[in-house]
């Protein structure tokens, strides 16, 4: 399918989408984004990573504007190094949700992203970081995860697949939290009603841009709300089947510069 004319807003996920598997940005992708920028399009990173884990990548992109972080829980101003907007997950609700999930599937291993521009990622014993390059602080017990306000909880199970864990979590958590699946080994609980779309809508409104001007790229089910919000959604070749099913177009993989391929066509 051929995309419409060029867009004023380009929203890109990071992991599995704009980033290669080694957490680097290709020169071709950087050049394509720069070309779109010269044509007047604004690029917004829309990622599950919290703001403190996005800053180095924004530096590589030369981004001094806004970024949507924490699955939409944070709108981050890179130039000012501050959060324009953030919402936290109530820690008592998070504990209750974990209890309901464990009552169904047995023990899960948890981590949390703390709120704020200097928030830490804390992991309990047994939790393995899906991205070993991202810094995390191991705590002695689960209760230590709740020592400060959090933006989300990350879950892993020793035998269940991500799809199985996410499906069960959604069935028992209800309105306690929003359940998302954002990458291999990454099932997350975030504030109820918060998605990438809610954060992107806030950022776009701040910039005076609308959904009909937006082109979105992603690879996982947590990108579905963003695709629903944007005018046009492009899934990577390596994307989860659920996202491919709702995409307007499927491009090459993140390793093969799939974003650049589309942008080069739209911004020749």
């Amino acid at each position: 399918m051929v995309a419409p004319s060029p867009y004023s807003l380009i929203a890109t996920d990071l992991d599995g989408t704009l980033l290669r598997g080694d957490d680097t940005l290709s020169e071709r992708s950087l050049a394509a984004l720069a070309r779109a920028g010269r044509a007047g399009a604004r690029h917004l990173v829309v990622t599950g990573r919290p703001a403190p884990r996005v800053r180095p990548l924004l530096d590589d992109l030369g981004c001094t504007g806004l970024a949507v972080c924490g699955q939409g829980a944070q709108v981050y101003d890179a130039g000012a190094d501050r959060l324009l907007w953030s919402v936290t997950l109530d820690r008592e609700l998070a504990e209750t949700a974990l209890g309901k999930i464990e009552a169904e599937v047995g023990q899960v291993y948890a981590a949390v992203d703390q709120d704020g521009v200097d928030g830490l990622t804390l992991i309990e014993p047994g939790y393995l970081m899906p991205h070993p390059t991202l810094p995390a602080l191991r705590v002695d017990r689960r209760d230590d995860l709740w020592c400060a306000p959090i933006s989300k909880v990350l879950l892993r199970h020793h035998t269940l697949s991500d799809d199985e864990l996410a499906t069960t979590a959604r069935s028992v958590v209800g309105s306690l939290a929003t359940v998302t699946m954002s990458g291999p080994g990454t099932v997350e609980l975030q504030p109820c009603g918060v998605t990438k779309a809610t954060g992107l809508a806030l950022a776009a409104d701040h910039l005076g841009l609308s959904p009909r001007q937006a082109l979105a790229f992603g690879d996982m089910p947590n990108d579905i709300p963003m695709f629903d919000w944007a005018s046009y959604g492009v899934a990577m070749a390596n994307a989860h089947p659920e996202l491919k099913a709702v995409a307007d177009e499927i491009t090459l993989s993140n390793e093969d510069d799939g974003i650049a391929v589309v942008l080069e066509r739209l911004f020749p």
Side-chain angles (χ1 to χ4, degrees):
M1 183 181 294
V2 178
S5 58
Y7 297 86
S8 300
L9 174 59
I10 301 168
T12 66
D13 175 46
L14 286 179
D15 297 292
T17 303
L18 181 59
L19 294 179
R20 294 181 291 197
D22 60 0
D23 273 10
T24 60
L25 294 153
S26 77
E27 291 299 324
R28 184 180 178 186
S29 293
L30 288 171
L33 287 168
R35 177 188 299 180
R38 289 192 296 272
R42 298 291 297 266
H43 174 218
L44 280 181
V45 165
V46 185
T47 178
R49 296 192 187 200
R53 309 294 170 258
V54 176
R55 274 183 301 213
L57 293 166
L58 296 178
D59 290 341
D60 291 342
L61 285 164
C63 177
T64 58
L66 302 185
V68 179
C69 307
Q71 303 292 13
Q74 301 171 328
V75 177
Y76 174 61
D77 184 336
D81 190 28
R82 67 187 181 96
L83 293 175
L84 294 185
W85 181 84
S86 69
V87 60
T88 58
L89 174 60
D90 183 277
R91 285 166 280 176
E92 290 188 7
L93 293 182
E95 282 193 279
T96 300
L98 278 176
K100 287 179 173 289
I101 294 168
E102 289 187 320
E104 294 293 322
V105 303
Q107 184 177 14
V108 298
Y109 299 99
V112 300
D113 284 335
Q114 293 179 334
D115 189 41
V117 295
D118 295 312
L120 301 172
T121 297
L122 304 181
I123 58 178
E124 70 174 351
Y127 185 90
L128 298 176
M129 286 292 289
H131 296 286
T133 60
L134 296 180
L137 178 65
R138 191 170 296 279
V139 297
D140 293 329
R141 56 199 181 110
R142 179 170 291 179
D143 286 348
D144 296 331
L145 298 177
W146 321 122
C147 64
I150 61 173
S151 60
K152 64 180 178 179
V153 179
L154 302 91
L155 305 176
R156 303 194 78 169
H157 193 275
H158 65 288
T159 58
L160 293 180
S161 69
D162 298 333
D163 290 281
E164 291 169 331
L165 179 57
T167 298
T168 300
R170 290 189 187 102
S171 71
V172 298
V173 164
S175 62
L176 294 174
T178 295
V179 179
T180 61
M181 184 168 52
S182 62
T186 312
V187 174
E188 302 179 1
L189 306 178
Q190 59 199 73
C192 186
V194 171
T195 67
K196 284 190 174 184
T198 59
L200 178 56
L202 285 167
D205 185 65
H206 187 82
L207 296 171
L209 299 171
S210 69
R212 68 178 180 275
Q213 298 169 287
L215 168 69
F217 293 88
D219 74 306
M220 290 298 291
N222 64 321
D223 295 314
I224 292 175
M226 181 168 68
F227 277 28
D228 290 341
W229 181 87
S231 176
Y232 198 80
V234 181
M236 314 306 288
N238 51 286
H240 191 281
E242 288 183 19
L243 187 68
K244 287 183 176 179
V246 300
D248 297 296
E249 179 179 343
I250 299 173
T251 185
L252 299 182
S253 73
N254 60 320
E255 298 291 348
D256 295 321
D257 296 314
I259 287 180
V261 169
V262 175
L263 294 183
E264 288 164 358
R265 184 185 79 231
L266 295 176
F267 299 91

